[in-house]
Amino acid sequence: MHTMSHANNDRASAGNDTTIVERVATAADTSTTVTIVRAVAEAESVTPGELPVLADVIDPESLEGLFDSDPAVGRSGVRLSFEYCGYVVEVTDELVTLRK
């Protein structure tokens, strides 16, 4: 199960004008795409089904190929950012971070 924590909305991220809205630890039993959609839904106080389709902004199979495949050999430090529902979504092997 993943853990969600709300960051202080007054705290701006280092070197950047955006504010961290949501940070979710990735879990081995949940796909990265599901983690992203759940995090955005929580930040927006809606159900995941009320959000636009994630596949309209990024290819879920490619996303999962980067972060959900085993082993993680050769991809240490991979970081992917894209925009979804007004958030900058940043994905690493360990976290999904939403910024406004």
Side-chain angles (χ1 to χ4, degrees):
M1 174 157 287
H2 63 279
T3 305
M4 293 190 182
S5 64
H6 293 277
N8 181 343
N9 286 335
D10 296 329
R11 188 182 76 200
S13 60
N16 192 313
D17 289 345
T18 62
T19 300
I20 295 173
V21 175
E22 187 85 21
R23 207 172 237 167
V24 181
T26 57
D29 62 342
T30 306
S31 73
T32 301
T33 55
V34 168
T35 301
I36 292 166
V37 171
R38 286 180 181 167
V40 173
E42 172 130 340
E44 291 291 304
S45 299
V46 299
T47 65
E50 294 176 85
L51 296 174
V53 178
L54 184 61
D56 289 346
V57 296
I58 193 161
D59 178 18
E61 289 181 19
S62 295
L63 180 66
E64 291 174 8
L66 279 173
F67 296 103
D68 295 345
S69 61
D70 284 325
V73 175
R75 65 169 205 251
S76 177
V78 170
R79 182 178 308 256
L80 175 70
S81 295
F82 61 93
E83 290 186 23
Y84 177 58
C85 295
Y87 296 93
V88 174
V89 178
E90 183 177 280
V91 184
T92 67
D93 277 340
E94 298 173 353
L95 287 173
V96 170
T97 303
L98 304 181
R99 299 177 191 273
K100 274 278 190 180

